[in-house]
Amino acid sequence: MLTFTDRATEVVRAFLDQSSGELEALRISAQPGSPVAPRFELTLISMDEREDGEMEIEGPGFPVVIRLGDSGQLEGATVDFVERVNESGFEVKTLAQATPPTPVPSSGAPEGEIADRVRGVLDTQVNPAISAHGGMISLVEVQDTEIFVQMSGGCQGCAMSRMTLRQGVERMLRQAIPELTAVHDVTDHDSGENPFFQH
């Protein structure tokens, strides 16, 4: 049901060992928020702290406690421990997040009013700003009010690419085109040859 990376397993076991037997299990609980990108809280507990409506599943050498209502979201999820420049912590990637939607290939460049407006924002605001890093963002596909973009150059594989897209690019696009409901990044970041910020 759940997969733990080697790093996540190592960190959980280290914390459990440090507790001298007081903490025995890992609780994973979904937090209120977007069903598309759910947030999860991970806490170490003793088995006495189990609540009604929670179930125990076998983790890699330790028990994992989850709410029955969260089991659907956690089916097939991966638990990782990530260490970035300014933060470190557990990260749960659900099956839906691991397989982002892929656009239906179109014959040529996307057409229509939304496509034209998106290209206008990319050409006049976004790409001039990220060209200093050797990056570029292109519109790949439009489906109703959802758009699919691709990063290239210094943005492809850049450790800051997700933040750039969510905090900067998506905000600019939504201000200019309020009817947009989603911005999907379909870039193959693993094959980036010259990222501005290395992972």
Side-chain angles (χ1 to χ4, degrees):
M1 178 185 187
L2 270 172
T3 302
F4 283 78
T5 65
D6 291 343
R7 181 65 181 137
T9 302
E10 185 183 314
V11 172
V12 173
R13 284 180 177 162
F15 281 135
L16 291 174
D17 290 345
Q18 287 169 18
S19 76
S20 304
E22 287 182 30
L23 302 172
E24 304 162 278
L26 176 69
R27 172 187 278 148
I28 303 178
S29 52
Q31 301 301 296
S34 165
V36 179
R39 290 187 311 109
F40 295 92
E41 187 174 278
L42 283 74
T43 48
L44 294 169
I45 60 169
S46 69
M47 293 309 283
D48 297 340
E49 294 177 72
R50 268 186 65 179
E51 299 171 357
D52 290 340
E54 289 187 325
M55 60 187 269
E56 180 186 333
I57 58 175
E58 191 55 45
F62 49 84
V64 178
V65 174
I66 63 171
R67 283 194 297 250
L68 290 169
D70 295 341
S71 60
Q73 289 186 78
L74 288 167
E75 183 67 48
T78 299
V79 180
D80 194 7
F81 186 84
V82 295
E83 294 168 281
R84 300 191 179 98
V85 178
N86 297 320
E87 61 174 341
S88 62
F90 289 100
E91 193 171 78
V92 179
K93 186 169 276 191
T94 63
L95 210 51
Q97 290 169 306
T99 52
T102 51
V104 178
S106 63
S107 54
E111 296 178 357
E113 185 194 346
I114 287 183
D116 291 341
R117 288 161 69 193
V118 169
R119 271 194 291 267
V121 175
L122 292 177
D123 292 345
T124 61
Q125 297 179 51
V126 175
N127 286 326
I130 61 174
S131 63
H133 296 176
M136 182 176 164
I137 297 179
S138 309
L139 178 64
V140 178
E141 183 66 68
V142 177
Q143 292 180 6
D144 296 323
T145 53
E146 297 186 26
I147 65 167
F148 297 80
V149 298
Q150 191 166 39
M151 297 181 165
S152 56
C155 289
Q156 186 179 4
C158 175
M160 301 296 285
S161 61
R162 184 176 174 82
M163 187 179 292
T164 300
L165 185 68
R166 294 288 166 241
Q167 302 301 319
V169 178
E170 185 168 340
R171 191 173 291 169
M172 287 184 202
L173 287 166
R174 286 181 183 274
Q175 282 176 350
I177 312 158
E179 60 267 38
L180 279 185
T181 54
V183 177
H184 301 290
D185 178 14
V186 295
T187 310
D188 178 7
H189 285 289
D190 291 337
S191 63
E193 294 179 1
N194 190 27
F196 188 74
F197 285 106
Q198 298 281 351
H199 280 280

